[in-house]
Amino acid sequence: MTDTSFTPRVFSGIQPSGNLTLGNYLGAVKRFVDMQNAGIETIYCMVDMHAITVWQDPADLKRNTRELAAAYIACGLDPAKSILFNQSQVPAHAELGWILNCVTRLGWMNRMTQFKDKAGKNAEKMSLGLYAYPSLMAADILIYKATHVPVGEDQKQHVELTRDIAAKFNHDFKVDFFPQPEPIIDGAGTRVMSLRDGTKKMSKSDPSDLSRINMTDDADTIAKKIRKAKTDAEPLPDNMDDLADRPEARNLINIYAGLSGQTPADVIKEVAGQQFGQFKPLLADLAVAHLSPIADEMRRLMDDVSEIDRILGDGANRAAEIAEPILAEVFDIVGFVRSR
Ligand code: AMP
Ligand code: TRP
């Protein structure tokens, strides 16, 4: 249900943990751009405070934050239209995060599947931050009273948790303060799978570089990874239902659809009957035509780090202007004395 009593405002974020992938692009950044160009107020963050929930080398974190900013801009985010900044420059995220830690119930956190996936059998060795991270993510969204959150499918549970946290805050303090933000997850590419295993998400942390297309890959690398992508021996059918048990084939069709702006059903009609030997070069050409200019632009932007830092600083100032009055109201609602 859309909450109509709040002004539409979009918030989303990506972790600057390196290797921005085609999954991030199709699942997130491409849709960030669409929403920006639809004329809605858009705020997009590089969530460096989320990144450090697992170890990050400090020099790499700085470089990856700037590279993610370059990727946002190269993909079409315009610092004049969208607020672009890194999370740690707006302390209100952490401050609201603490308050929401005190609203969120342990039982809710224990249901988060991403923590279970990331921690595996090593939960005892994970940081407290990794466990608490969904509550900081709720703060990221709610500190702007954002109403819409474009994310890939893997983040849906966290946005639903954000709705529960917002509702509990409103209920506990008897206010109608936070909106119920909606996850925006639609179209092809909301779940891009590994090129080596169609049942696993394409991920920046997969040990095999062949499993993913990085936004910084050059044309030859993109073509090679698609040529080597795992497939099966059957030709392509003329409908998506027949791909139900062929995860690798389905993934390549989805990627084609995401890049070309078609639906998977339209793509499969076009390529019906083709062998992968025919289809893969088409996909490689499409991917190179789409991604190479973005990689070139990223390299160009990375040559001027001080300009990137200026954009992030300016974005952080504009973000703080929205966040600080909301945080002040939260402090009043919670009962904190504010006297300076
Ligand atoms: P992360 O890289 O985990 O910070 O994710 C940043 C954004 O990209 C989130 O909205 C994710 O849902 C999205 N995303 C990450 N991997 C994929 C994928 N393989 N397919 C679709 N979306 C993805
Ligand atoms: N948790 C998200 C991810 O790993 C990143 C993120 C942090 C985010 N805060 C957010 C996404 C707020 C949307 C809104 O992908």
Side-chain angles (χ1 to χ4, degrees):
M1 194 187 69
T2 304
D3 212 324
T4 49
S5 52
F6 291 87
T7 320
R9 180 178 281 157
V10 175
F11 181 92
S12 196
I14 297 183
Q15 301 190 44
S17 38
N19 280 338
L20 195 70
T21 69
L22 180 65
N24 297 128
Y25 176 65
L26 293 177
V29 187
K30 191 164 184 286
R31 278 161 329 110
F32 295 1
V33 177
D34 292 342
M35 296 189 95
Q36 163 192 275
N37 295 341
I40 314 167
E41 182 179 15
T42 41
I43 307 175
Y44 298 124
C45 192
M46 289 115 249
V47 287
D48 47 11
M49 290 161 60
H50 283 268
I52 63 162
T53 56
V54 297
W55 171 252
Q56 304 292 328
D57 174 83
D60 289 348
L61 181 60
K62 279 195 178 163
R63 198 182 50 79
N64 289 332
T65 301
R66 291 168 175 144
E67 189 174 275
L68 180 56
Y72 276 3
I73 297 166
C75 290
L77 291 180
D78 176 352
K81 292 188 189 154
S82 292
I83 298 180
L84 307 180
F85 70 106
N86 56 315
Q87 183 186 27
S88 59
Q89 294 211 71
V90 181
H93 290 243
E95 293 174 85
L96 181 61
W98 180 258
I99 294 170
L100 298 186
N101 280 347
C102 302
V103 173
T104 308
R105 303 292 97 177
L106 285 181
W108 301 355
M109 302 305 281
N110 288 336
R111 286 199 289 274
M112 294 299 112
T113 57
Q114 190 178 63
F115 178 78
K116 290 180 199 162
D117 291 347
K118 284 197 182 176
K121 292 197 181 75
N122 292 324
E124 296 283 317
K125 296 211 172 83
M126 295 294 131
S127 73
L128 179 57
L130 185 69
Y131 183 70
Y133 140 141
S135 151
L136 178 61
M137 174 161 163
D140 298 338
I141 297 167
L142 296 174
I143 195 66
Y144 302 101
K145 296 193 177 183
T147 54
H148 296 84
V149 185
V151 279
E153 227 167 58
D154 61 324
Q155 293 299 316
K156 187 167 179 224
Q157 191 185 35
H158 292 159
V159 182
E160 282 165 356
L161 177 80
T162 301
R163 294 167 66 93
D164 291 342
I165 296 173
K168 180 159 164 57
F169 180 94
N170 288 348
H171 176 265
D172 287 355
F173 293 102
K174 300 186 178 56
V175 289
D176 184 16
F177 188 72
F178 287 128
Q180 287 277 287
E182 292 234 28
I184 306 292
I185 305 167
D186 51 20
T190 55
R191 196 168 186 84
V192 178
M193 310 309 280
S194 157
L195 298 179
R196 307 302 299 164
D197 176 352
T199 62
K200 261 179 38 192
K201 177 177 98 154
M202 181 181 285
S203 161
K204 51 178 86 159
S205 55
D206 194 299
S208 164
D209 196 55
L210 282 177
S211 71
R212 63 179 160 261
I213 293 176
N214 303 306
M215 295 305 286
T216 47
D217 284 345
D218 61 24
D220 288 347
T221 309
I222 295 173
K224 182 183 85 184
K225 287 179 176 174
I226 292 177
R227 199 166 58 242
K228 294 199 164 191
K230 184 177 169 200
T231 44
D232 52 42
E234 303 292 312
L236 287 161
D238 62 3
N239 68 85
M240 288 306 282
D241 289 346
D242 288 353
L243 290 184
D245 299 327
R246 298 172 62 187
E248 284 83 17
R250 195 169 66 236
N251 186 37
L252 295 186
I253 295 289
N254 267 327
I255 292 175
Y256 192 102
L259 287 169
S260 67
Q262 292 167 285
T263 64
D266 286 341
V267 173
I268 198 94
K269 268 188 232 130
E270 254 177 56
V271 300
Q274 289 188 10
Q275 297 286 349
F276 286 101
Q278 267 175 295
F279 177 66
K280 279 181 170 179
L282 293 181
L283 178 60
D285 285 350
L286 177 68
V288 168
H290 208 93
L291 302 178
S292 280
I294 296 177
D296 289 346
E297 181 64 3
M298 277 175 72
R299 272 189 283 277
R300 197 188 63 78
L301 291 163
M302 283 298 279
D303 280 344
D304 191 353
V305 166
S306 61
E307 175 59 8
I308 292 181
D309 289 4
R310 191 198 60 75
I311 290 169
L312 295 180
D314 176 63
N317 283 334
R318 286 152 64 207
E321 261 173 50
I322 302 172
E324 280 165 8
I326 294 176
L327 186 67
E329 277 189 84
V330 171
F331 279 17
D332 283 335
I333 291 169
V334 169
F336 290 167
V337 172
R338 293 192 301 118
S339 58
R340 50 161 219 154

